[in-house]
């Protein structure tokens, strides 16, 4: 079986290598766009100069040389005269410009179609770093030719340089994308693609802006020198890319690239997910080729009429959107490939492309629509690129990436043809082309969701787990990268399947109780996920059929999940595991992956407090931990798997520590949320509300500050009582460790406890001393004396602190200089000393709070419940109670 690697132990310098690759890619995209735009601006200016039309009429007359209907000022008559004189010249010039735009698209995409397979061969056969460095060396030569082209003003030479520039990019692309999965830990693959996409489109933005500034303010010689300097920077950065061994050094070159393509088509077709990712990527670049420079350029010429600088800024909106969308997609994907983002991005592409067809949009509105269109494109593309890099076998990765490059280039090539067809035979305007693209994208999205419905389900789950829930995944490296597996999980709530789906990019089929499957509000979603319904009430033949379906799915290299308890727990405790998994795995050579869900109990979809749904969540976002254990053999016994799942749950409990508060801080928070509710009472004390209890603790802390000054551990000898509880909370707020002494011990044992903890005095009461006739080894401080003499001012100030002052400020006011954390001591509990000297057990805040939470889970306490604490505070359970 294939198990995911730990984050790249073999390449500890992957960060340096990645950022070197980032600089190389950034420089390449920057130089390509500067050069293309300079050529486009130069061609447009040359055509206009040759037309003989005065400069002032290019911004007034429309695309066909006519007078726009919006022109209503005093110059209209003059414009109509100019239209008669220059209209035909403008129409011819613009037609030439459109033809050149189409030609540039064809020239740029043609090398990808011809040379992609050769580039893929080189990426597999040799070290990808060598290929990357070689392409950067070639770029220096290409840009030298570009300098000559700018100096001579030769359009054919500049088009030839675009061809060579594209050829260089063709050989760079498979090595670039093939390096990412070899260089990055898989958990960072989406992140890496997002960052690379963000940098690429920032480079595109910068390229358009720099090209406009160069064209407007500097001579052609400077253009070429700048591009040569950028090429030198890229060459220097390429030396920092990590040198990785060739993926397939024995690979043979095939001159017939069409045969190589056909072979790779077959490999891609065997992996449905990969095939759909390649098709989706090709469609994105088709839209990019259609919407980008041709349609947007004409949109500006026809409607906005911005000069080169302002047009570059408008185009920057699209590039910024794609860059930010790519970065955000990489971030929100977490440490997996989240293809649920694809339909969301696709819907955004459709909506904002159609929005650009709305008549009368201002420049600002167009910029916003372009930015949103780009953002949607980033969301759409990043998961697809990550899938294309992750799915192929390592030895074929370069060829598959190159094949994808060939298909996407074909998409760009077809986009050039589509632009020409929509403009010439159909006569569509730029806004109409955007509308057609939006409608086609919407139809394509509907079709894609129909054939891959779980992508829509993943989108809904992604939204759920990024708003109401926060899912943390532990042990993701234990999930097999490929091949069949059976996930065996505990079952705490109706949403358990969602958390498992959200924790991995592998498609999971769940086994579900048929009675739940048939509910009208569950069945549509269950069918999307291809859930396998099962029930012990079925006839044996139907039961066997369901189990066999699960077996066949695993044998086919896929993942099935079974909630082995057979039902949702009603107590929060794990039930025995049933034996259905043994029947599924009979004769199957695939691992069992134990899974534990923690933190789900208590959510509104769990049965906590005896009901589903009808309760409010404790907090939003609700934290959930999904833990994956190491692979177990397919014949592992249910009891052994259950034991591992329990151990995973025990380990996952530590994830709660960051969300816990020390005992006294939790008490302050509870008291403020439930000021008037009953808190404490004993036989001698009337019921005390939480507000009064907190006030009393603060009051005692202020009066004990001098008494306990300089002591880390403080001695308390009091029975289980309201006074004892308040004194313990006072000690904790002061940053002290309360040591509740056992008043049943002998004088020698008590002295040992005092000596071990460094206690200098003991807080007790006159009643305890009189009743027990104890001889204490250090000075005694009587609680009656501490509480006596309080003034109205003391009570009022303590009440104000209890109501308004932050917990950390209360600690400081009571003398606690450093903050108290969960790993700090909360108390020391001594043994009875029956086997010698009493032994102190040190309990941290985390120890005690964990027990408190676990007790609450077992007994499901309600607000109306009261806890009767009969054990003394020197007992661990008595202290916790």
């Amino acid at each position: 079986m294939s198990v995911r690697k730990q984050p790249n132990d073999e390449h500890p310098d992957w960060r340096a290598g990645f950022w070197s690759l980032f600089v190389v890619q950034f420089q390449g995209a920057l130089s390509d766009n500067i050069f293309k735009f300079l050529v486009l601006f130069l061609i447009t200016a040359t055509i206009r100069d040759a037309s003989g039309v005065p400069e002032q009429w290019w911004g007034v007359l429309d695309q066909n040389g006519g007078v726009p209907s919006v022109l209503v000022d005093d110059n209209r008559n003059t414009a109509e005269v100019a239209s008669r004189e220059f209209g035909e010249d403008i129409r011819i010039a613009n037609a030439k410009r459109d033809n050149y735009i189409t030609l540039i698209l064809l020239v740029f995409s043609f090398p990808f179609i011809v040379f992609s397979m050769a580039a893929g061969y080189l990426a597999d056969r040799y070290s990808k770093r060598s290929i990357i460095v070689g392409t950067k060396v070639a770029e220096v030569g290409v840009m030298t030719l570009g300098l000559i082209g700018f100096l001579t003003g030769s359009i054919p030479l500049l088009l030839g340089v675009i061809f060579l520039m594209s050829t260089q990019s063709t050989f760079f692309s498979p090595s670039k994308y093939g390096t990412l999965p070899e260089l990055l830990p898989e958990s960072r693959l989406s992140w890496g693609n997002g960052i690379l996409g963000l940098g690429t489109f920032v480079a595109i933005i910068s390229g358009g802006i720099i090209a406009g500034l160069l064209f407007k303010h500097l001579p052609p010689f400077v253009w070429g020198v700048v591009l040569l300097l950028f090429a030198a920077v890229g060459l220097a950065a390429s030396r920092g890319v990590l040198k990785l061994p060739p993926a397939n050094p024995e690979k043979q070159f095939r001159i017939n690239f069409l045969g190589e393509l056909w072979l790779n088509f077959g490999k891609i077709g065997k992996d449905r997910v990969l095939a759909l990712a390649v098709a989706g990527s090709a469609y994105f670049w088709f839209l990019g080729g259609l919407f980008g420079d041709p349609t947007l350029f004409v949109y500006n010429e026809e409607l906005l009429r911005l000069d080169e600088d302002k047009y570059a800024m408008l185009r920057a909106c699209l590039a910024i959107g794609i860059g930010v969308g790519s970065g955000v997609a990489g971030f929100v994907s977490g440490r997996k490939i989240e293809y649920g983002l694809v339909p969301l991005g696709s819907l955004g592409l459709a909506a904002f492309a159609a929005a650009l067809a709305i008549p009368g949009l201002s420049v600002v509105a167009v910029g916003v629509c372009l930015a949103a269109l780009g953002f949607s494109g980033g969301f759409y593309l990043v998961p697809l690129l990550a899938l294309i890099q992750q799915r192929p076998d390592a030895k074929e990765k370069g060829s598959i990436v190159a094949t994808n490059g060939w298909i996407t280039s074909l998409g760009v090539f077809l986009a050039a043809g589509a632009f020409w067809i929509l403009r010439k035979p159909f006569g569509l305007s730029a806004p109409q082309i955007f509308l057609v693209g939006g409608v086609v994208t919407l139809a394509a999205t509907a079709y894609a969701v129909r054939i891959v419905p779980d992508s829509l389900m993943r989108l809904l789950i992604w939204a759920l787990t990024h708003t109401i829930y926060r899912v943390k995944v532990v042990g993701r490296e234990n999930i097999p990268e490929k091949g069949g597996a059976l996930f065996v999980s505990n079952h705490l709530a109706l949403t358990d399947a969602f958390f498992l789906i959200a924790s991995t990019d592998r498609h999971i089929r769940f086994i579900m109780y048929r009675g739940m499957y048939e509910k009208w509000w569950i069945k549509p979603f269950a069918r999307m996920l291809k859930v396998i319904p099962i029930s012990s009430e079925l006839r044996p033949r139907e039961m066997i059929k369901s189990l066999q379906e699960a077996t066949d799915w695993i044998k086919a290299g896929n993942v099935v999940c079974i909630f082995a308890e057979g039902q949702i727990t009603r107590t929060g405790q794990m039930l025995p595991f049933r034996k259905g998994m043994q029947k599924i795995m009979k004769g199957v050579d695939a691992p069992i992956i134990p899974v534990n869900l923690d933190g789900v109990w208590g959510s509104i979809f769990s049965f906590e407090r005896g009901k589903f749904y009808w309760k409010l969540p404790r907090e939003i976002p609700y934290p959930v931990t999904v833990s994956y254990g190491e692979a177990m053999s397919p014949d592992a016994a249910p009891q052994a798997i259950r034991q591992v799942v329990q151990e995973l749950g025990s380990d996952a409990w530590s994830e709660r520590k960051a969300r816990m508060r020390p005992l006294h801080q939790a008490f302050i928070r509870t008291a403020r949320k439930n000021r008037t509710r009953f808190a404490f009472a004993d036989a001698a004390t009337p019921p005390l509300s939480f507000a009064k209890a907190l006030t009393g603790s603060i009051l005692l802390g202020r009066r004990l500050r001098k008494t306990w000054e300089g002591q880390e551990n403080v001695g308390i000898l009091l029975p289980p009582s309201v006074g004892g509880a308040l004194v313990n909370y006072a000690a904790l707020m002061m940053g002290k460790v309360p040591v509740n002494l056992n008043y049943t011990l002998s004088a020698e044992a008590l002295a040992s406890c005092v000596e071990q903890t460094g206690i200098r005095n003991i807080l007790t009461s006159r009643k305890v001393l009189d009743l027990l006739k104890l001889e204490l080894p250090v000075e005694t401080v009587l609680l009656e004396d501490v509480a006596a003499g309080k003034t109205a001012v003391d009570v009022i100030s303590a009440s104000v602190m209890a109501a308004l002052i932050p917990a950390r400020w209360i600690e400081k006011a009571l003398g606690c200089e450093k903050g108290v954390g969960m790993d700090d001591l909360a108390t020391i509990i001594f043994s009875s000393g029956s086997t010698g000297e009493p032994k102190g057990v040190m309990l941290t805040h985390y120890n005690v709070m964990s027990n408190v939470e676990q007790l609450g889970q077992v007994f499901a306490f309600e607000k109306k419940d009261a806890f009767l604490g009969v054990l003394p505070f020197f007992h661990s359970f008595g202290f916790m109670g």
Side-chain angles (χ1 to χ4, degrees), residues 10-259:
E10 52 204 321
H11 303 305
D13 296 329
W14 66 264
R15 288 179 176 82
F18 171 78
W19 289 113
S20 295
L21 183 64
F22 175 88
V23 172
V24 174
Q25 168 65 9
F26 184 93
Q27 174 273 319
L30 181 70
S31 295
D32 284 357
N33 278 274
I34 291 174
F35 192 89
K36 277 199 305 179
F37 270 98
L38 285 172
V39 173
L40 190 59
F41 293 153
L42 187 62
I43 288 173
T44 302
T46 302
I47 291 172
R48 287 184 174 184
D49 290 343
S51 70
V53 179
E55 180 66 27
Q56 67 266 26
W57 296 116
W58 286 103
V60 175
L61 301 180
D62 67 15
Q63 178 74 9
N64 295 312
V67 182
S69 59
V70 296
L71 188 61
V72 294
D73 58 19
D74 295 338
N75 291 326
R76 185 177 183 86
N77 291 334
T78 307
E80 288 175 348
V81 173
S83 175
R84 287 193 293 271
E85 185 174 351
F86 302 116
E88 181 63 16
D89 295 328
I90 288 177
R91 187 188 66 77
I92 293 171
N94 284 333
K96 287 182 179 178
R97 182 208 60 208
D98 286 355
N99 289 337
Y100 268 113
I101 290 173
T102 303
L103 182 60
I104 288 172
L105 275 175
L106 293 174
V107 168
F108 191 78
S109 59
F110 188 70
F112 284 93
I113 295 173
V114 177
F115 301 123
S116 284
M117 290 302 98
Y121 160 77
L122 292 175
D124 286 335
R125 175 68 174 78
Y126 302 101
S127 168
K128 294 177 178 62
R129 176 183 179 274
S130 299
I131 307 302
I132 291 171
V133 173
T135 59
K136 290 290 113 177
V137 171
E139 185 179 347
V140 174
V142 171
M143 287 306 161
T144 302
L145 284 176
L147 173 59
I148 297 171
F150 286 138
L151 289 174
T152 60
S154 170
I155 301 300
L157 177 57
L158 291 172
L159 290 175
V161 172
I162 288 178
F163 176 85
L164 293 174
M165 192 173 68
S166 177
T167 302
Q168 176 259 334
S169 296
T170 301
F171 283 92
F172 172 67
S173 185
S175 293
K176 171 187 69 178
Y177 285 120
T179 296
L180 279 179
E182 295 180 5
L183 184 67
L184 293 176
E186 187 173 331
S187 60
R188 287 186 173 268
L189 197 52
S190 286
W191 170 85
N193 276 281
I195 294 297
L196 211 61
L198 176 61
T200 299
F201 289 103
V202 168
I204 290 172
I205 300 164
S206 306
I209 294 172
I210 292 171
L213 294 172
L214 289 173
F215 184 81
K216 199 168 185 179
H217 301 293
L218 294 169
F221 172 75
V222 178
W223 308 349
V225 171
V226 168
L227 288 167
L228 268 173
L229 289 174
F230 284 159
V233 170
L235 175 60
S238 69
R239 309 287 296 181
V241 177
L242 285 182
K243 187 168 185 178
L244 304 170
N248 189 2
E250 306 301 322
K251 187 164 186 172
Q252 299 297 312
F253 179 67
R254 297 184 62 170
I255 297 177
N256 179 9
F257 77 90
L258 293 177

Side-chain angles (χ1 to χ4, degrees), residues 262-279:
W262 186 256
L263 182 65
N264 287 332
F265 283 159
K267 295 173 184 176
I268 292 171
K270 291 178 182 178
D271 187 332
R272 184 166 176 264
V273 174
L274 178 60
L276 291 170
V278 169

Side-chain angles (χ1 to χ4, degrees), residues 413-605:
F413 191 87
L414 293 175
F419 173 75
W420 185 86
I421 291 169
L422 293 172
R423 287 287 293 170
K424 300 302 179 184
F426 288 96
L428 298 185
S429 66
Q432 290 170 331
I433 293 175
F434 277 120
L435 180 60
V436 169
V439 171
V440 172
T441 301
L442 183 62
T445 303
Y447 177 72
V449 168
R450 184 172 177 270
I451 61 175
V452 193
D454 61 298
S455 64
L456 179 60
M457 192 66 190
R458 287 194 71 95
L459 171 60
L460 297 175
I461 292 169
W462 174 83
L464 182 69
T465 53
H466 283 75
T467 51
I468 299 175
Y469 294 96
R470 284 289 184 273
V471 179
K472 179 171 184 179
V473 184
V474 178
R476 195 195 300 271
E477 67 277 2
N478 293 319
I479 303 173
E481 182 179 339
K482 293 179 181 177
L486 178 68
F487 289 0
V488 180
S489 174
N490 59 325
H491 204 4
L492 293 165
L494 294 168
T495 49
D496 288 347
F498 289 178
F499 303 128
L500 286 164
I501 292 171
S503 69
T504 177
D505 46 37
R506 295 211 60 180
H507 175 61
I508 306 173
R509 287 190 73 180
F510 293 89
I511 297 175
M512 178 184 284
Y513 171 60
R514 180 173 287 277
M516 187 65 69
Y517 175 89
E518 294 293 343
K519 292 185 182 294
W520 67 268
W521 50 275
I522 288 182
K523 194 168 186 178
F525 299 105
R527 292 181 67 178
M528 282 186 188
L529 295 173
K530 298 182 180 179
V531 165
I532 302 171
I534 196 168
S535 173
S536 57
E537 300 162 7
L538 294 173
R539 289 178 296 178
R541 182 180 296 177
E542 293 175 333
M543 172 74 81
I544 291 171
K545 183 180 178 182
S546 294
L547 294 174
Q548 187 61 46
E549 185 176 358
T551 299
D552 293 342
W553 186 255
I554 296 172
K555 285 182 175 180
N558 302 297
V559 174
V560 171
C561 178
I562 185 170
F563 297 106
E565 296 164 272
Q567 60 179 302
I568 296 174
T569 177
R570 296 304 198 260
T571 63
Q573 305 305 303
M574 196 183 304
L575 304 172
F577 279 11
R578 299 187 179 183
K579 297 181 179 180
M581 68 185 83
Q582 291 180 307
K583 296 178 181 178
I584 293 173
M585 297 303 288
K586 187 175 181 180
V588 177
D589 183 20
I592 291 175
I593 307 297
V595 189
N596 179 270
L597 296 165
D598 181 68
V600 184
W601 181 256
S603 72
I604 61 174
F605 296 101

Side-chain angles (χ1 to χ4, degrees), residues 279-413:
S281 173
Y283 183 72
F284 174 85
W285 290 110
F286 170 81
L287 279 185
L290 181 62
F291 287 168
D293 294 333
T295 305
L296 184 58
F297 190 85
V298 174
Y299 190 100
N300 177 58
E301 293 284 308
E302 288 181 348
L303 299 178
L304 304 177
R305 298 186 176 89
L306 303 175
D307 63 20
E308 288 85 357
D309 291 350
K310 292 179 180 176
Y311 172 67
M313 295 302 295
L314 188 68
R315 192 173 179 275
C317 293
L318 179 63
I320 288 171
I322 297 177
V324 173
S326 299
V328 171
F331 175 76
V332 301
S333 291
R335 302 177 71 85
K336 65 181 187 302
I337 301 171
E338 185 48 81
Y339 60 88
L341 300 179
V342 175
L344 180 62
S346 185
L347 289 172
L349 285 172
F352 293 109
L356 285 165
I358 298 173
L361 291 177
S362 67
V363 174
V364 173
V366 171
V368 171
C369 286
L370 287 171
L373 182 71
F375 187 89
S376 303
F379 251 56
Y380 175 89
L381 185 61
V382 164
L384 296 179
L385 288 178
L387 282 170
I388 292 167
Q389 295 159 23
Q390 180 255 344
R391 299 289 296 189
D393 184 80
K395 292 184 177 181
E396 304 293 338
K397 208 174 289 288
S399 293
I400 299 300
V401 170
T403 302
N404 175 67
W406 186 90
I407 295 171
T408 56
S409 301
L410 182 62
V412 175
F413 191 87

